[in-house]
Amino acid sequence: MRHRLIPAALAAGASLALLGGTAMAATPDWTVVPSVNPSATTLNAVFARTATDAWAVGQFPRAGEDAGSQIFAERWNGTQWQQAPTSNIVRQDERLLGVSASGPNDAWAVGNTNSIGAASHDTLAAHWNGTAWTIVSTPTAASGGRLASLYDVADLSPASAWAVGQGKDARPLAEHWDGTAWSVVPVPVPAVPSGTSFANAALSRISAISATDIWAVGTTTAIQGTSVVRFTLAMHYNGTAWSIVKTANTAEPTGLSGVTAISADNAWAVGNGFNNVHDTSASVANKAVIEHWNGTAWSIVASPAGLISVDRISAASATDIWASGQAPQQTIAGVPVPVARTLHWNGTAWSVLPGPTGSDPNTAVTGLSALPSGEAWAAGATFSSTAAAAFIAHHTP
């Protein structure tokens, strides 16, 4: 049995997991599509605007000790993926973790950057103007020594885009693009239960119905004695301000890593409940979390059995929603080894399908985007012991 490692640079981005075990073919309606530059490239996000215009972004290692990792972007033109020119900051490691486009000549990608070998990260944003990607300055994300990052972005128009993440002060972060510059927009800091102390909070994903109806989700972390406990976090923007909306926490420590908003009374959020590695007395098994917004409140929707997480979600319509997750296929040396799963909502129930992972089970699906036509894209990376290779799969109805 092969054991494969995720590079540390990728682990600093969105929630990922190592996938292994017996190879499982992709479902017949998912087809692996060649990436432009698969060698050593990691894809962290994908966004499909139309059937002939989609973006996948991530990073790849540059040659030379001072080059660092460079942001990577490729675009689907309806026939093939083509690499788009990207900038490189010398002596910096850069990575793109989220992408969104409002038109063929207006797209944003966000992530983080750090001096090679440095522990502290800074926010990063790049813009596509129809010709090339250029790095655009983002405001200082508060003070402190922690990682600052933008994890996801929603591009509404050339004059309006939102990005979410975490500031250096360990608080949730939201930034807005007004057509000229990015600015930090205040967001509330989530409260933690009595008997715990606040550690950090981050917004990991964002989904916009309109400029006055936007959802962002993430995780709040607190300290309780010697234990680390986590809670689901959801925020809503009504066109004027961000507010925290109570989620339906399960009994376990939980966090949210994906959201898709369909209408004012229909949104979905996904994540996982997980065992507390800092508390040896904990007996809670990892399991998937799915929540639904009905216009009034969030409620738990039963997850299909056997899943340990649901990481990404994207809706083509109210009755055609795709999600990517993981299930422990087998145990190696006493440790459950997860493999990729695809979830589909038909308007009534969630079903679980294999993959897509192509022919290699060591594939992580970290980006997912569905179109109203029923098409969907999945992106991520296939890992070896020393490197990663870009992975893209396409679903056609």
Side-chain angles (χ1 to χ4, degrees):
M1 177 61 63
R2 293 171 296 172
H3 292 270
R4 302 201 165 188
L5 303 177
I6 297 178
L10 179 58
S15 173
L16 306 178
L18 178 63
L19 307 180
T22 305
M24 183 175 292
T27 55
D29 53 358
W30 283 95
T31 303
V32 176
V33 179
S35 175
V36 173
N37 181 25
S39 178
T41 298
T42 295
L43 297 176
N44 300 324
V46 64
F47 178 83
R49 189 180 67 85
T50 69
T52 58
D53 188 12
W55 286 99
V57 299
Q59 71 275 340
F60 68 100
R62 294 283 293 174
E65 293 183 358
D66 294 332
S69 61
Q70 180 176 338
I71 58 177
F72 177 82
E74 57 183 315
R75 191 179 195 182
W76 174 257
N77 62 7
T79 303
Q80 63 181 346
W81 288 93
Q82 297 177 319
Q83 187 172 353
T86 53
S87 303
N88 181 44
I89 307 173
V90 178
R91 299 183 180 88
Q92 291 275 321
D93 282 325
E94 313 140 34
R95 55 200 66 81
L96 295 176
L97 306 174
V99 63
S100 179
S102 71
N105 301 323
D106 179 48
W108 284 99
V110 298
N112 59 53
T113 181
N114 63 281
S115 298
I116 297 174
S120 180
H121 293 189
D122 295 300
T123 56
L124 175 67
H127 183 255
W128 171 260
N129 63 2
T131 303
W133 287 92
T134 56
I135 293 174
V136 179
S137 175
T138 53
T140 301
S143 60
R146 293 183 58 86
L147 178 150
S149 180
L150 295 172
Y151 292 118
D152 199 15
V153 61
D155 187 0
L156 282 71
S157 73
S160 182
W162 285 93
V164 295
Q166 184 182 55
K168 285 184 177 293
D169 58 358
R171 267 58 176 172
L173 173 67
E175 298 193 8
H176 182 251
W177 171 260
D178 63 2
T180 302
W182 285 97
S183 61
V184 174
V185 177
V187 295
V189 177
V192 295
S194 175
T196 69
S197 58
F198 179 88
N200 62 76
L203 295 170
S204 56
R205 293 289 138 182
I206 187 170
S207 182
I209 298 170
S210 68
T212 59
D213 192 357
I214 305 174
W215 284 99
V217 301
T219 303
T220 301
T221 303
I223 304 297
Q224 186 176 35
T226 60
S227 299
V228 176
V229 291
R230 297 175 175 87
F231 310 94
T232 53
L233 173 63
M235 293 192 188
H236 183 260
Y237 184 74
N238 63 4
T240 303
W242 287 93
S243 60
I244 294 175
V245 180
K246 183 180 178 181
T247 49
N249 282 298
T250 60
E252 303 83 16
T254 52
L256 296 175
S257 55
V259 64
T260 187
I262 303 164
S263 65
D265 59 359
N266 191 0
W268 292 85
V270 297
N272 70 299
F274 41 87
N275 202 334
N276 185 351
V277 297
H278 297 281
D279 183 358
T280 56
S281 67
S283 59
V284 176
N286 294 354
K287 72 173 188 179
V289 173
I290 301 177
E291 299 199 17
H292 180 254
W293 171 258
N294 64 2
T296 303
W298 287 95
S299 61
I300 296 291
V301 176
S303 303
L307 295 175
I308 61 173
S309 73
V310 185
D311 305 313
R312 298 289 178 263
I313 187 167
S314 183
S317 69
T319 58
D320 186 9
I321 305 174
W322 288 97
S324 61
Q326 300 166 39
Q329 181 70 6
Q330 58 184 301
T331 299
I332 300 175
V335 178
V337 178
V339 295
R341 289 288 187 267
T342 298
L343 290 77
H344 185 258
W345 174 261
N346 63 4
T348 303
W350 286 98
S351 58
V352 180
L353 306 170
T357 60
S359 60
D360 196 321
N362 297 283
T363 299
V365 175
T366 55
L368 194 64
S369 183
L371 285 163
S373 63
E375 284 188 69
W377 287 97
T382 299
F383 299 98
S384 71
S385 59
T386 57
F391 171 85
I392 302 177
H394 186 216
H395 164 78
T396 54

